[in-house]
Amino acid sequence: MSVLSAETQGLVEAKLIEDKVITQADLAELKTLAKDSGTPLFGLMVTSGKVSNEQLTKTSALVSKIPYVNLLEARVEPKVLELLPQEVAERYMAVPLGEMQNRLVVAMLDASNVQAVDYLSNRIGRPLKVYAASEEGVRQVLQQYDAHLSDKLVGEMGQLGDDTVENDATAKGNKAQQTADKASNITTIVQDSPISKALSTILEYAAKNRASDVHIEPLKESLKIRCRVDGILREIMKLPKSTEPPLVSRIKILANLKIDEHRIPQDGEFTIDAAGKEIDLRISISPVVWGEQVVIRLLDKSGTSLRLEDMGYTGRSLRTIKSGLGRTNGMVLTSGPTGSGKSTSLYALLQEVRSDAVNIVTLEDPVEYKMDGVNQIQVNADIGLTFSGGLRSILRQDPDIVMVGEIRDRETAELAVQASLTGHLVFSTLHTNSAAGILPRLLDMGVEPFLIASTVHVVIGQRLVRRLGKQTEQYQSDAAETAAIKEALGMLLPKTAEEMPQVAKDLGYETLPLATDSAYTLTRGIDSPSAPGGYKGRMGLYEVFDVSQQIQQLILKRSTSTEIQNQAIVEGMVTMRQDGYLKALAGLTTVQEVNRVASADSA
């Protein structure tokens, strides 16, 4: 929404009160707050939840005598989207809606700005009919450009036909020359390839849709492209089988891999500029029955918050971690399966303790986030720089805090334990199903029980669940959901209204329902292009405990992970499933999503 004059803003305020969108008392309170904080009043209205952005846009358009359109649920035809180039639409936050009497009908975020409208009209060389729309509505239509581009690409790729095979044969024939060429020449080869547009479009689509991985999978008669968004794989297109060899060859060239090697797996990396951001790509290529499968991991550092609170840590878990970070030695370990956010948790811990007073050295494979004030070392097994070998070296670098990306073997585990015994605070990860499973896993690696008991201070188990998008609706839990919540949270939820404030504060929430309620108010997302299935983004489910004297005794007895977990629960640990249900009650995710991610043994 554009900046309004003081007179127009006053008219908008009066109209909101007249339409009973906001009360006079609430408006006066927000005005005082806006003046004290230096925050724009209308922005404060939206962030406080008193007025929705859509309602504010509608009222402002009405006062300014500009036609308004709600685009939150709009579906624009592909042929209409082609009336305005995507880069122009994104730059001016304007989307096409159709044609009317030789004029292009557009919805704009800044519809009342005459100069912006004239500039856009001159830019595309057509007169405009302009409607006002909210930022959410405009972005919802911008998302549809990507889906249209995907469909269009499939058609274009189908027409490449034999040309792609011919180009691939040429690429193979020139392999010796390509190997000798410098990087600048490789770029020329890539640009001349007829497949270049395909890969650029796939990666651009993945970056814009926040994908963590791209899977290029050969089938018998086609090539399937899938993207993993918020932990879920979705097919985005199928290409002709003839596109597979040149597409894989181009990826190999960019990643400096051998393009004529098809029998063994290869790994590489390169960096691209996509969606206005610099994104590091990790490439893994493996031979499969119908060709070569390529998995591309996208490491997008922008937009990732490394604050513990923003990642989903609350209440007891957050207090336990911060207590552990206050120590000067010992180990803080996090666990979970691949892709559960362990590395991001380690970076958040580093962010918490980073200062000029300490020397932090890390050993990582790969270095995913580059942090100022942290000395980060990339593991390289090809030259002998392994986790264990690197750990020996960095202990001579006078570190206060050491982060080891992963404890994979007995030697690394023993060195990490020795580092913590000699006055270092050590962060690391292990692959286990629960927090309690970390301690028996170290025993399996051959670390002595008394060493584990005396060095490990805080243990974290985690999973990632999808967050609900902005558009949601509330409903009452059914019998199965109510029973599941009561079984998991019966001991945690307050029994009476008097207990509720203290229990809610202890668990890190503003309010909680009572354990005795017959049903609970839950939230589910509304499906939209920007939030498939009603979800957008992810957050963590966590279980955190410190190693108490009782748990130390269990470690010395070589107790099972179940016995350790039960003792941690007795001492107040909130399990991953309980953490998930609390987040579902708070309207952050759904019970179904928690059940999908949190295994029964974490209940």
Side-chain angles (χ1 to χ4, degrees):
M1 192 168 64
S2 58
V3 178
L4 303 177
S5 67
E7 181 183 357
T8 305
Q9 182 169 318
L11 293 173
V12 172
E13 294 169 12
K15 183 64 176 171
L16 289 171
I17 293 173
E18 179 187 336
D19 293 344
K20 297 181 179 178
V21 176
I22 192 171
T23 65
Q24 185 74 53
D26 284 342
L27 180 60
E29 182 184 340
L30 287 173
K31 280 186 172 181
T32 302
L33 188 57
K35 184 178 179 181
D36 293 343
S37 63
T39 306
L41 175 61
F42 284 176
L44 202 57
M45 283 184 182
V46 175
T47 56
S48 67
K50 302 289 186 184
V51 181
S52 71
N53 200 15
E54 201 64 41
Q55 180 65 56
L56 188 58
T57 303
K58 181 178 179 181
T59 303
S60 300
L62 185 65
V63 167
S64 303
K65 295 182 171 56
I66 298 172
Y68 157 81
V69 60
N70 186 331
L71 298 179
L72 291 179
E73 301 295 331
R75 296 290 184 273
V76 180
E77 291 292 324
K79 62 182 181 181
V80 174
L81 291 175
E82 291 181 358
L83 296 173
L84 189 65
Q86 183 177 5
E87 61 273 13
V88 175
E90 290 176 342
R91 181 176 178 183
Y92 293 94
M93 287 300 286
V95 292
L97 302 179
E99 294 179 289
M100 180 188 297
Q101 299 174 347
N102 200 36
R103 291 194 296 173
L104 178 63
V105 182
V106 298
M108 288 184 69
L109 180 64
D110 206 9
S112 63
N113 187 330
V114 177
Q115 287 181 324
V117 173
D118 287 344
Y119 200 80
L120 176 60
S121 177
N122 292 331
R123 172 72 172 77
I124 62 176
R126 292 189 64 176
L128 302 177
K129 168 68 175 173
V130 180
Y131 285 77
S134 67
E135 182 177 353
E136 291 90 339
V138 172
R139 290 195 184 282
Q140 193 274 133
V141 176
L142 288 175
Q143 293 272 347
Q144 297 175 39
Y145 272 98
D146 295 322
H148 170 51
L149 193 60
S150 169
D151 295 337
K152 187 178 178 183
L153 179 64
V154 173
E156 291 177 354
M157 295 301 295
Q159 296 172 8
L160 286 177
D162 295 336
D163 291 343
T164 58
V165 179
E166 188 177 323
N167 273 274
D168 183 47
T170 303
K172 290 179 180 177
N174 292 337
K175 187 251 175 187
Q177 179 62 40
Q178 291 171 4
T179 303
D181 281 344
K182 295 183 178 179
S184 58
N185 292 334
I186 291 177
T187 304
T188 303
I189 293 169
V190 169
Q191 289 171 344
D192 290 343
S193 169
I195 213 77
S196 60
K197 185 177 179 181
L199 183 58
S200 297
T201 303
I202 291 168
L203 295 177
E204 187 82 16
Y205 177 89
K208 286 184 177 179
N209 286 275
R210 303 171 293 104
S212 61
D213 301 88
V214 175
H215 290 232
I216 300 173
E217 302 169 338
L219 305 177
K220 185 177 181 180
E221 297 178 349
S222 62
L223 188 66
K224 181 165 68 174
I225 312 294
R226 295 195 291 172
C227 284
R228 187 180 295 279
V229 179
D230 294 336
I232 305 295
L233 273 172
R234 297 185 182 89
E235 183 176 323
I236 61 168
M237 67 177 76
K238 272 190 178 173
L239 301 178
K241 182 68 174 177
S242 59
T243 63
E244 181 204 332
L247 184 60
V248 175
S249 290
R250 179 180 177 189
I251 294 170
K252 287 180 177 179
I253 290 171
L254 289 171
N256 290 320
L257 303 177
K258 298 177 181 178
I259 65 172
D260 61 344
E261 179 57 77
H262 307 287
R263 301 164 301 169
I264 60 174
Q266 296 189 75
D267 295 321
E269 59 183 72
F270 60 93
T271 302
I272 61 165
D273 285 319
K277 297 173 288 189
E278 187 176 283
I279 299 175
D280 292 336
L281 306 180
R282 300 286 186 267
I283 312 299
S284 176
I285 301 178
S286 295
V288 293
V289 173
W290 300 114
E292 289 180 279
Q293 179 184 11
V294 181
V295 176
I296 303 173
R297 168 65 58 88
L298 287 82
L299 300 175
D300 178 12
K301 279 82 71 176
S302 64
T304 301
S305 172
L306 294 178
R307 290 182 67 248
L308 292 169
E309 292 85 349
D310 294 341
M311 293 168 59
Y313 288 100
T314 57
R316 299 175 187 176
S317 298
L318 187 59
R319 290 193 298 273
T320 302
I321 288 175
K322 291 198 171 183
S323 173
L325 295 180
R327 296 172 178 264
T328 57
N329 57 49
M331 298 176 70
V332 178
L333 301 177
T334 180
S335 70
T338 301
S340 61
K342 299 188 299 297
S343 296
T344 307
S345 283
L346 288 184
Y347 284 114
L349 297 179
L350 291 179
Q351 182 81 6
E352 197 76 21
V353 298
R354 185 178 59 168
S355 77
D356 290 337
V358 293
N359 177 24
I360 303 174
V361 185
T362 74
L363 202 59
E364 307 172 54
D365 184 21
V367 174
E368 294 185 17
Y369 299 91
K370 296 176 178 65
M371 299 179 72
D372 291 336
V374 177
N375 303 298
Q376 298 170 275
I377 299 173
Q378 168 77 53
V379 168
N380 187 345
D382 292 340
I383 60 172
L385 181 52
T386 60
F387 278 115
S388 56
L391 188 51
R392 280 195 184 88
S393 172
I394 64 179
L395 290 178
R396 295 191 287 271
Q397 296 283 313
D398 186 32
D400 298 290
I401 298 169
V402 175
M403 190 266 265
V404 182
E406 184 182 344
I407 294 178
R408 296 177 178 174
D409 52 43
R410 176 175 181 170
E411 188 177 9
T412 307
E414 289 179 339
L415 284 168
V417 167
Q418 290 301 323
S420 64
L421 283 173
T422 53
H424 304 91
L425 185 59
V426 179
F427 302 149
S428 193
T429 70
L430 284 94
H431 284 277
T432 62
N433 288 327
S434 65
I438 285 180
L439 305 174
R441 179 79 181 101
L442 289 173
L443 289 172
D444 291 342
M445 287 184 173
V447 181
E448 291 295 333
F450 73 91
L451 290 176
I452 299 172
S454 59
T455 56
V456 179
H457 293 321
V458 177
V459 178
I460 305 168
Q462 65 182 81
R463 299 284 193 282
L464 290 178
V465 292
R466 291 177 290 174
R467 287 181 185 266
L468 291 175
K470 286 187 177 180
Q471 293 179 262
T472 59
E473 60 183 8
Q474 292 187 329
Y475 70 100
Q476 293 300 112
S477 60
D478 59 29
E481 290 171 328
T482 302
I485 291 171
K486 286 190 173 181
E487 181 183 354
L489 299 179
M491 299 298 293
L492 293 180
L493 293 178
K495 307 296 187 296
T496 65
E498 290 74 22
E499 293 180 12
M500 196 276 288
Q502 183 57 45
V503 173
K505 182 180 179 181
D506 181 47
L507 294 173
Y509 295 90
E510 291 184 8
T511 184
L512 289 172
L514 299 180
T516 54
D517 288 351
S518 57
Y520 299 100
T521 300
L522 299 174
T523 308
R524 58 188 166 212
I526 297 173
D527 186 39
S528 68
S530 62
Y535 298 100
K536 185 173 184 179
R538 289 191 290 176
M539 64 180 174
L541 303 186
Y542 304 99
E543 55 185 24
V544 183
F545 66 88
D546 55 5
V547 179
S548 64
Q549 289 186 355
Q550 290 79 4
I551 292 177
Q552 286 178 346
Q553 292 302 316
L554 292 176
I555 296 171
L556 294 174
K557 295 177 185 175
R558 296 181 177 267
S559 299
T560 63
S561 58
T562 302
E563 292 172 315
I564 294 171
Q565 170 131 339
N566 290 340
Q567 179 60 36
I569 292 172
V570 168
E571 295 176 6
M573 182 185 79
V574 177
T575 67
M576 274 186 275
R577 185 179 289 272
Q578 289 173 333
D579 188 35
Y581 282 169
L582 286 169
K583 288 182 167 87
L585 290 173
L588 302 175
T589 188
T590 63
V591 170
Q592 293 77 15
E593 181 69 2
V594 174
N595 290 339
R596 179 183 71 84
V597 169
S599 57
D601 59 7
S602 65

